[in-house]
Amino acid sequence: MTIPQSHVAALRDAAESGVSFDGLSVTVDDETYTFATPDERHTGLSAADLADIAAANDAYVTNWHYWTRIDRTDSEQEFLRWLEHADELAVPERYDSLSEDGLTRLWGELSITTTLDAGKNEDGDGDQRRYSIRHEDDIGADHAELAVYHDPLDAREVAKHDDDGRYRPLKTAPTLQTGWAFTDLNGRALLRTIDFLYPATVHNWYLERHENLDVSHWRETAQRQTGIYDLIEELDGEQLEWLTEACCVDSQCLKRRQWDESADEPLDTPRGDGVFPCREPCSLVIAVARKLTLLEREQTHEYTFELTPSEKEQLETLIDTVADGHTEEIREADADNGANRYRARYLRAKRFDEHGQLSGAPTPDADTEN
Amino acid sequence: MSRAHAQSGTDTKQALVIVAHGSHLNPDSSAPTFDHADTIRESGAFDVVREAFWKEEPSIREVLRIVEADEVFVVPLFISEGYFTEQVIPRELRLDGWDVSTWESDGTSADYATYEAADIGSTVHYCGPVGTHDSMADVIIQRARSVTDDPAVGPGFGLAVVGHGTERNENSAKAIHYHADRIREQHDFDEVKALFMDESPEVDDIAEHFDSDDVVVVPLFVADGFHTQEDIPADMGLPTDGPGEYPVPGTVEDTRIWYSGAVGTEPLLADAILERASDAGAEISDAIERVRRSTRDRDVVVGKP
């Protein structure tokens, strides 16, 4: 077993003030070193002895070096350690897993795998971990089947469109395209890549773990708005329930909603099970809220329609199908499904008049401009 | 943002944040922002360069927390001073105590103001919009050169600088007039006019505004979209085969129109972003010169001849 000479030198230097990290303990007293792990303890070591013992315990030493000698922010450090279960797995166990298949965590739709790659880094640059990312749906895929990237900046294009080529205005929508992988990343490149795929999620996750997440609830967010958005303050609590059910549940966004109507007025809509938090209503929710606020200014009217029971059910099915995003899944000849295109066209032919009005019932002028 | 795990780097880290509008609907809206950010990244002028958007992510609200730096230079990729630069962006950045009067601007002269961001405490040098910087005149000229493929374009040509214009914000038109006036004084186009979509003088009657047979039309917009790809070509009467499909040059009445598309897509715009940050105290040494060289050498395809 070998470790870079620079690691040994760094360990000797650090011993002056005492090393205590992930089970490794190294101290020095009068140029005599003590080296201990949970499994062994060596005292009375010369510098040369220390180098030998360090080499024999390379996992502990490289682990210490990787986590204490590389420039990272607190959130980056905590996230990268979370990825390899550093708080749960002791070093030998962790290194066994890292050097075999690696350790994998899910982050939204991302599958992130940490592996050891000591062999490539004999120069002691500290990159003893390598990271790779792919879509969780591609976990079993061969590299040859995937478009492989190494530059974090390429993540911007990956994040832009879904598998059907549609633009994704919301980065954390569960519609990330498949068929790609970022491989052989160092920690910094991994974090930059995630930051383009799911901006700010790592930092906000970190803040939440330390109970420092700055949540902006709906009322203060709405109150902050100006210009064309200042009117969203009109939405009431019930309408906010509908809005969050429409936009913020797991089927629409992978962030876990931590904001409510206000700190004292929780919303009943499920917050979601996402690993990273949502700290305030996003710009997409604000934009949708604006349209809904305008529409909610209208008064209801009574209409008289005649529909067969099946036609009424068909309208319900149509709305469900659009709301759940399942229109593409309905087979061409599936006449049993009310949202089938032929069924919908038949209903339109039968129930719409020449002005496109249901059962010929006139639509009253909207009471407001929207 | 603390760096408890740092062992290296006692130098001050500086970051550039380019703030743009972005879009929920148009995937190309952010493209110029990313392109200019990449140019500046390649120049190595900043430790960190990050894009942020009003309508996309990272949001303006959250960008500062993901930028690890001691000093942050925020440059709005907007054409004029107004609602976004004066209200929305400072509010969303949480600039503590923001007061637009610290810019002491006459509507086109905002340079920068230094504040602390209330949520994370970083020092933010908040700059005036890219669109009103003096160097935008060079970008407009470069755009004219690109679209005509003529490095000496000027004599024999008219130049129309086209803005959106809006009755709601007088600064919108001021920025257009400002550049048109400077180019008229400093360059050798036969005629230079400021024209608008939504106020007079209007771009609709383009041929009537010029005596020249050849007129370069440069719209001062950040990104190509509905306005630059459909509205303005249609307003001018350019024959089009769909959005963005217009001849260069195209003929309107007897005038050849060299329509360039959005000035924001011109690679040299990265220089104006750097100039903004430099004016605010960013130490970027020779990056401006390098960016100027690299973006001027670049082949630029404008429109579809």
Side-chain angles (χ1 to χ4, degrees), chain A residues 74 156 214 226 229 280, chain B residues 2 38 55 61 65 83:
Chain A
D74 293 343
R156 291 177 300 197
D214 51 333
T226 53
Y229 298 110
E280 67 180 23
Chain B
S2 69
D38 285 348
K55 294 291 187 186
R61 287 277 282 181
R65 67 187 59 200
Y83 177 58

Side-chain angles (χ1 to χ4, degrees), chain A residues 264-312:
Chain A
D264 306 324
E265 297 165 290
L267 295 169
D268 292 333
T269 303
R271 297 186 183 282
D273 298 322
V275 62
F276 38 78
C278 174
R279 40 166 299 282
E280 67 180 23
C282 67
S283 74
L284 199 54
V285 165
I286 299 293
V288 172
R290 173 175 188 272
K291 182 67 185 177
L292 295 172
T293 305
L294 290 166
L295 295 175
E296 290 287 12
R297 286 177 176 177
E298 294 180 16
Q299 301 300 310
T300 58
H301 294 259
E302 284 193 5
Y303 308 87
T304 305
F305 299 129
E306 289 207 341
L307 296 172
T308 67
S310 291
E311 287 168 348
K312 175 175 171 293

